[in-house]
Amino acid sequence: MNSFTDRISRLGGDRTPFIAEAFDEPVGRILDVGCSYGWALNALVGKADDLVGVDMDKDALRQARASYPHITFVHQDASTLPFEDATFDGVILSEVIEHVGDENKQFVIDEVHRVLKPGGLFIFTAPYAGLLAWADPMDFKRRFPRLYRRYMRSSGYQPSTAVEIGHKHVSTNEVEQLLCGRFFFEQVRFCGFFMPFISWVLAIDQRLGLFPTRWHNAIGRLRAWESGVSYGRLLSFNIRIVARKLPAT
């Protein structure tokens, strides 16, 4: 397996175009594990004969089906995918691994590997354990559980991810261990430095309504673009990987 540093790219931009650009040639079938509202899959229309999304969020899937009736959406746990071995030419796992809990991460990666064809494309993105990982507002609940539970009691807010899971960032060592030498890395990006600060602004505005909607949306677009700007391994907040499944030996 080639090292991360062999394939580092310094381009920037939102993760949806990043995913779309990775599929530079049409393929047969693409699976998005943790597809949410189906935005990434819709960006791949014309790049695959069949697009399939899997998620556990029923409300998100309901909206995805209404918005993109040309795409197949399945309500399913990522650790037990309902597909035969080597079914897909490409699999996306984008901003998902941090939500499944440490005990389930390997199961999810193993399932991705199982349903992906040899030579198939694997797109992986996740929050990265760089210098500012501690500042992630979505991980506040895991790092400061007592304080967060007080906030939950006072506000009535219930997070979509359990407090003990939080939004834990992955390290390069963890990613390499999870992938277990079964993938060839074509590209790795360490990117996004200002994301935690912008995310705090958006989170506070969402609770307090400080800005007009158009301002909030503009700040969100800025965060999405900045999330792909490379700052190097130490300073970056995200990791993005394009890899291929190695043939069985």
Side-chain angles (χ1 to χ4, degrees):
M1 180 179 65
N2 60 321
S3 68
F4 280 95
T5 53
D6 287 343
R7 298 292 176 179
I8 290 177
S9 170
R10 298 192 177 278
L11 300 177
D14 190 3
R15 63 187 170 100
T16 298
F18 168 78
I19 292 168
E21 289 167 8
F23 291 95
D24 54 0
E25 295 182 357
V27 297
R29 305 188 74 193
I30 297 175
L31 172 67
D32 187 358
V33 179
C35 64
S36 187
Y37 297 99
W39 300 320
L41 283 171
N42 190 56
L44 296 172
V45 170
K47 296 199 172 191
D49 299 327
D50 189 23
L51 298 169
V52 181
V54 168
D55 205 287
M56 286 294 291
D57 188 330
K58 292 182 178 179
D59 291 335
L61 289 178
R62 189 177 300 113
Q63 183 171 325
R65 292 186 181 110
S67 301
Y68 310 120
H70 51 285
I71 298 173
T72 301
F73 294 101
V74 179
H75 180 253
Q76 184 66 39
D77 188 326
S79 61
T80 54
L81 296 174
F83 308 108
E84 299 293 331
D85 296 358
T87 298
F88 294 94
D89 301 279
V91 177
I92 303 161
L93 190 70
S94 181
E95 309 305 304
V96 171
I97 203 71
E98 66 274 18
H99 296 290
V100 304
D102 288 341
E103 70 278 9
N104 295 314
K105 288 178 179 179
Q106 193 63 65
F107 293 117
V108 172
I109 296 297
D110 289 348
E111 280 293 273
V112 166
H113 183 268
R114 181 183 66 78
V115 302
L116 186 61
K117 294 178 181 178
L121 204 63
F122 176 43
I123 312 298
F124 176 88
T125 79
Y128 171 67
L131 187 65
L132 292 178
W134 62 270
D136 186 351
M138 295 183 67
D139 202 31
F140 185 87
K141 53 183 173 285
R142 183 182 66 87
R143 292 178 178 272
F144 306 98
R146 290 185 180 179
L147 184 59
Y148 194 82
R149 286 191 173 93
R150 290 179 185 173
Y151 163 72
M152 289 169 60
R153 287 194 295 269
S154 64
S155 67
Y157 177 75
Q158 292 294 324
S160 57
T161 302
V163 170
E164 59 272 15
I165 294 177
H167 202 245
K168 186 179 178 182
H169 291 222
V170 298
S171 66
T172 51
N173 287 339
E174 183 180 12
V175 172
E176 289 184 298
Q177 289 171 6
L178 288 170
L179 300 187
C180 299
R182 296 175 293 179
F183 295 88
F184 173 84
F185 293 95
E186 292 189 344
Q187 183 183 152
V188 178
R189 297 185 187 181
F190 297 96
C191 47
F193 175 78
F194 294 98
M195 278 194 71
F197 309 113
I198 302 173
S199 294
W200 272 110
V201 171
L202 290 171
I204 293 170
D205 180 54
Q206 188 173 12
R207 303 291 189 275
L208 302 179
L210 301 176
F211 304 132
T213 301
R214 67 180 184 279
W215 289 18
H216 184 95
N217 293 340
I219 295 170
R221 290 192 295 272
L222 172 64
R223 179 180 65 175
W225 175 82
E226 197 273 337
S227 70
V229 177
S230 177
Y231 297 93
R233 188 183 303 201
L234 176 63
L235 298 178
S236 291
F237 196 75
N238 278 347
I239 185 169
R240 298 178 178 180
I241 295 172
V242 179
R244 290 193 181 274
K245 177 179 175 178
L246 292 169
T249 56

